[in-house]
Amino acid sequence: MELHPVQSTGPQETFVLNLGPQHPATHGVLRVKLTMDGEFINDAVIVAGYVHREHEKMGENRPWDQFLPNTGRIDYLSAMMYTHAYVGAIERACGIEVPPRAEYVRVITSELNRIASHLVWWGAYLLDLGGMTPLLYAFDDREKILDLLEALTGARLTYCYYRVGGLAEDLDDGFVEGTREFVKEFRPRLKMFRRLVSENIIFRKRVEGIGIIDAEMCRKYGATGPMIRGAGIPNDVRRAEPYSVYPELDFEIPVDPAADSMARYKVRMEEMEQSLRIIEQCLDRLPEGPVMAKVPRVLKPPEGDYCYATEAARGRFEVRIVSTGKPVAHRVRLRTPCFGNLSLFEEAARGMMLADGIAMMGSLDLVIPDIDR
Amino acid sequence: MTAAEPIRLLLFLVGVATFVGLNAAYLVWVERKGAGRFQRRAGPTEVGYAGLLQPIADAGKLMSKQLIVPPGADRVLFRLAPIMMMPPAIMAFALLPFSESLVGIDMNVGLIALFAFSSFNVIAVMLAGWSSRNKYGIISAARVVSQNVAYEIPMMLVIITVLMVSGTLSLTAIVDGQSGAFWNWNLFALASNPLMPVTFIIFFICMLSETNRAPFDMAEAESELVAGAYTEYAGMGFGVFFMAEYANIVIGCALAVVLFLGGWHSPVGVFPGVFWFLVKLYFMVFLVIWVRWTFPRTQFYGLLNLSWKILIPISIFTLLLSAVMIKLV
Amino acid sequence: MSRCPDNLLERFQELFPAMNMEKPAPSEESAGEEDGADAAVPPPPPPPPCRKTEHAKVGYDLDAIVEPHQIEEAAKLLDHEGFAIDMITAVDWPDAEQFELVYDFMHFQAGTRVCVRTRIPRDRPEIATLAHIYPGANWHERETAEFYGIQFTGHPNPIHLLLPEDFVGYPLRKDFKPQPDPLLEP
Amino acid sequence: MKNIFKEVVGGFYTLTVGMGITLREFFRKPVTVHYPRESLKMPERYRSHLIFTSNDDGSSKCIACNLCVKACPTDCIIVDGEKKEGEKKKSVTKYDLDFTRCSLCGACVEVCPTDAIVFSKRYNLAATDRQQFHIIDLCRDLEERNKKKAQ
C-alpha cells in the first residue's frame, strides 16, 4: 500500500531551527540552520568548520613523512585508507615500489577498517532513527576489529601504521588467525543484522523513498562512495582507478539504483560482505617477504603534482601533492568524501520533514573532521 | 458510607502514592537492567547490589538539582506542567483492581473514569512543550496532540469491542467475567470474536502510542528533537515527567491485564489474586521494554498513517464482527 | 580494464586543441600572464597545454592548461561530457606572483580523471565561478576563497565556509603569518 | 486490498523476528568488561607515552643524539645530554616529553639508534590539570622505576 507522506501547505510563517552544533543527529559539531515551516524544512544552510584544524597547511610546513600522523585524524573512523592515500601519493611521486606483502597487509587492514567504519555508521544510523540496540551490537563486532588492529598497530583509531614504502611493522603473531576467526564469526552476525533491521517494517518505512539523491545530483556535487553507488552507478575507486593489489582481487561493487536512503543503506551492508571476501582472499594469498621498501631517509619527490585516490569508507579520498623537489611539500590538498557528500544536503533537504531530513543526513554517513579538516 | 471508609481510602491513597513512586523508580531500574541485557551489557551495577539502589541515588540527584526556568518561558505554565502530569496518574491507580478486595474505588463507570484520567497527560506534555519557549518543545507539543488524538480512536473502538463481550463498564465486573481457566480470558474469547488476539495487538500498539513509548516516542524523539517537550526541564521537573511516564505505562499495562488477560484470575489456581495480577502486569511491562529496545522509531506521518489507515479500519471491522458474532451466538 | 575508453579520449583531444589554438592569441586581460613571457621568447620545451598523462604515474589522465577566461567553457564542456566535479583548489606560487587554480573532474563510469589548470595573477586574484555549472563548486570555491583570498566573481554565497566569519588573513598563502593565540600560550 | 493485507501481516512478522533476536540476546552473557573492577590486558604494541629502556645498571641507553627531536612532527621532545669523562658517548640529562602535543605516531621510536625509548603501556592516565601532562620527565620516570625495583 502506498502511504503518501503529507505535504507542506505552502509558504506560511516560518521559524529558524538550529540543528546543532551540539545535536544528537549531527554526529559531532556540525550546525545546520534550518528554516522550518512547521515540521517541514524550507531551507537548510550548513555551517561547518567547528573542528577545522588546517591540515593542509600542516602538510606544507613539515617533512613529507611527518604528515603521516595527521592523515589518520581527518576521518578517524577509516584512518587506514586515508594514510594509504597519502603514502600512495608520495610513493607514486618518488616511484617507490612497495613490497607485495606490505600491499596485501594494507588491503587487509583497510578492509577491516572499512567494516569497522560501516559498523559505526550502521549503529549510529539506527540511533538516528531511534533504535538504540543495534548500536551496541555493532560496537560488539567493531570491538573485535579494533582489538585486532590494536594488537597490530598499537592504536585503536589513529593507527599511523603505513609508512612511505611499506608498513611500520610486520604482522603480529595472532593477526592472521584472529582475522580469519573474525571473518567466520562476522558472517552470521551480518545475517542477524539484516533480520533485525534491514527487513524490519518500521525501518523500511523510514528509509525507503526518503532522501532521493540521484546520479545527476551526485555528479553535480561530486558525491562519491556509497552515495553514487546507491544511485545506481558502479563507481568505486578500487575498480575505477585501481590501486594497491585490488585489481588482483575478486570482489563486486554493490549497486542499488533506488537512490534513496535505503539504497545507500543496502550498498553499505553489502560492502561489508564484500570486504570480508577481500580479506579472505588476501589472507589466502598473503606472500612472505619484507614489508618495507628501500626508501631514502629524506624524501624528495621530483617536481610536479601527483594525485592518489583511495576508496575510503565514505567515498573517494584523494590526496593531491605538489612537490617542488624539496623535502617539504609545496601543497598538500586533501579531497575528502564527506565534503562533497554533505554539500548536496542543502539542496536535497528542501521540502523534507525534519525526521526525514535526519534520516537522510544519517545516510550520508558524516564524519565532521572529514568535512572541516 | 461507613466510618471506616475514609480511613480505608486514606490508607489506599498512601499505599498507591508509595506504590507509584517506588514502582516508577524501580521500573527505571528494570528498564535500564533490561536494556543492558538486550544490548549485552550489564546495566547499573555500582550502587547497591546489582545497582538496586541506583534509582534512589538518581532521585536524590534529581531532587538536589536546581529548577531552572528558561528566560522568556511562561513561568506559571512551565511549573504547572509537571504538576499536572502526576495527579491524574495517581488517581487512575485508585481505580485499578489489583484483586477482588484490593481496589480503591470500584466505580460502575470505572473504565471511562480511567480513560478520563489517562488522557490528561497529553495536556500536560503539550503545556510543557509550549511553555518552555523552545522550538523543539513546540514541535514536540504539536506532535503529542495529534498523535494522541489519532490513537484515542482505535483504542476506544478496541475497548468497545471488549465491552460488548463483557457487557459492563466496571473494571471489577470485567475481570469477574473472565474467571475460571485462562481460556475464559477475553484474549481468548474467540467464540464472541475470532479476531480477539488482533484486537489485543491493536490495544497494545495504541497503549504504546498513548504513553509515548518507543517506537512511538514522538514527543521525546531524542535524535530529532533532543528531548522534545522535556528539553528545558531540569531536576525534579524532569523527574516528575519521568515518573509519570512510568506510572502511565503501568496503568496502560494494568488495563491490558484487566481487559484481556483476566485480571487477578490465575491460570493455574495457586497463589493469591494480587500476585497473579502483578505477574501479568510486569510481564506486560517487560513486553513494553522489550519493544522499546528492539525497534527504531516510526516516522511521524507513518504513525498517523498507521492509526488512520490501518488500525482504525481493522478495529472497526473487529467491532462489527463481534457485534455480529454476539448477536448470532 | 581500460583506464580511459578510446572514444572518450579522442573526444578530449578534439576538445582541447580548440583551446590550444586560442592560447597563443594574446588575451585581452591579465597582462602578467604566462603566455606574455612565452610570446617574447620561443619556449624551449613548453609542456603542451593539453596532454595525456599516465594515470599510474600522476593520478590523472588528462592535464589541460587553459586561460582564466576559458575556465567556464572548459567546465561546460566537461559537464556536457558527463564529468563530475572532484575538487577545486589553488596553489600559491609566490615567486611567479601567481595563483594556480586546479580544477579536477572525474567520470563516474569511465574512471577518467581530468585536471584543468589555470593561472591568475597574485595581485588581482579573480576568476569566474563555476557554481552555476556545478553546484558542488560552491563549497570548493568558498573554501579556496577563504584560504587564498581568491575572488570568484558571480559566486552566489561568498562567505567563509570553514574559517570563523571574523577571521582575517588567508592561511594557505605562503606569506601568511598566524596571529599568536593568547589562549594557547601556557 | 491484498497488498495491504500482505504488508500488514508481513510487516508484523518482521517485527516478531526482530523481537525474537533481541530476546535471544537478552539471555546471553554480557560482553562488556566492568572496567574499574576488571580490565583488559594491553597488547604488546600498545602505544602510550614514551619511557626509557635501561641498561643492566639502570642507566638510560639514550645518547642524546637528538634524532627523535628532529623526527618529531609536533616538536614535543626536548633532549639534553652531557659527555661524562671517560665515556665515549654522551649520556642523557634531560628528556622532556610534552604529552599534550604528542600524537603517539612512533617516529621517535623508529628513528632511535640505541632503542633507548619505547612506548609504555600506561593506558589509564588521568590528571586534574594540564600541567601534569604538559611535561613528562622520562629521566625521573626511569629513576622512580629503578627505585621501585630496588625495593
Side-chain angles (χ1 to χ4, degrees), chain D residues 15-58:
Chain D
L15 298 183
T16 54
V17 167
M19 288 182 70
I21 289 171
T22 42
L23 189 69
R24 205 177 56 221
E25 300 290 322
F26 184 85
F27 290 111
R28 289 172 70 187
K29 230 171 86 67
V31 288
T32 46
V33 174
H34 197 176
Y35 167 57
R37 315 239 176 272
E38 41 183 323
S39 56
L40 298 170
K41 201 171 157 284
M42 286 297 120
E44 199 52 35
R45 294 182 185 177
Y46 184 78
R47 305 203 302 246
S48 183
H49 71 80
L50 296 177
I51 47 169
F52 272 143
T53 53
S54 56
N55 294 319
D56 296 337
D57 61 347

Side-chain angles (χ1 to χ4, degrees), chain A residues 40-294:
Chain A
F40 289 91
I41 299 168
N42 265 7
D43 196 23
V45 177
I46 305 268
V47 183
Y50 286 90
V51 285
H52 177 62
R53 289 160 295 174
E54 198 64 82
H55 276 301
E56 294 177 5
K57 187 78 176 179
M58 284 190 232
E60 288 177 19
N61 55 25
R62 61 193 59 194
W64 289 96
D65 50 350
Q66 289 193 6
F67 187 60
L68 279 177
N70 287 57
T71 55
R73 286 164 170 80
I74 301 161
D75 175 354
Y76 45 81
L77 291 178
S78 56
M80 288 284 187
M81 288 83 114
Y82 280 61
T83 318
H84 198 160
Y86 183 70
V87 295
I90 299 175
E91 283 156 8
R92 187 171 267 173
C94 300
I96 295 169
E97 190 90 355
V98 182
R101 184 175 171 87
E103 286 287 20
Y104 273 98
V105 175
R106 279 183 186 181
V107 170
I108 296 170
T109 47
S110 286
E111 294 303 320
L112 278 177
N113 205 190
R114 186 188 313 279
I115 296 175
S117 169
H118 280 349
L119 281 173
V120 175
W121 160 79
W122 184 75
Y125 189 38
L126 264 292
L127 203 59
D128 281 353
L129 302 179
M132 312 246 175
T133 307
L135 179 81
L136 276 294
Y137 293 171
F139 269 55
D140 182 11
D141 289 304
R142 175 174 178 260
E143 201 67 11
K144 289 172 191 152
I145 300 177
L146 292 193
D147 283 346
L148 284 171
L149 293 179
E150 188 189 18
L152 176 64
T153 67
R156 294 175 78 79
L157 281 179
T158 48
Y159 309 104
C160 192
Y161 178 54
Y162 304 161
R163 293 285 184 271
V164 178
L167 304 169
E169 275 175 293
D170 201 352
L171 292 184
D172 64 321
D173 303 330
F175 184 78
V176 173
E177 292 87 78
T179 311
R180 274 190 201 283
E181 200 175 314
F182 168 76
V183 171
K184 216 166 70 195
E185 277 174 13
F186 189 57
R187 283 238 163 83
R189 290 285 285 183
L190 264 182
K191 210 174 281 165
M192 185 270 258
F193 292 167
R194 207 160 288 150
R195 287 175 59 219
L196 176 66
V197 174
S198 316
E199 290 167 5
N200 187 302
I201 182 81
I202 299 176
F203 174 76
R204 287 208 333 252
K205 287 273 169 218
R206 281 214 64 178
V207 293
E208 273 175 4
I210 300 297
I212 306 262
I213 296 166
D214 58 10
E216 179 63 11
M217 199 166 176
C218 288
R219 187 175 77 81
K220 291 280 190 187
Y221 280 94
T224 48
M227 304 276 294
I228 184 73
R229 293 196 283 280
I233 295 178
N235 176 273
D236 188 311
V237 183
R238 291 174 290 177
R239 281 277 185 255
E241 298 168 39
Y243 61 98
S244 198
V245 291
Y246 283 112
E248 297 166 27
L249 302 168
D250 173 36
F251 64 98
E252 278 150 36
I253 298 167
V255 171
D256 199 307
D260 56 2
S261 302
M262 189 64 176
R264 295 188 282 277
Y265 173 91
K266 279 186 190 155
V267 163
R268 289 200 181 93
M269 292 306 271
E270 187 55 37
E271 265 180 40
M272 288 199 247
E273 196 84 54
Q274 297 299 328
S275 290
L276 290 180
R277 269 181 72 189
I278 295 173
I279 292 167
E280 275 182 335
Q281 289 173 42
C282 286
L283 287 174
D284 289 340
R285 296 183 193 180
L286 190 64
E288 292 298 317
V291 291
M292 194 70 194
K294 269 241 167 298

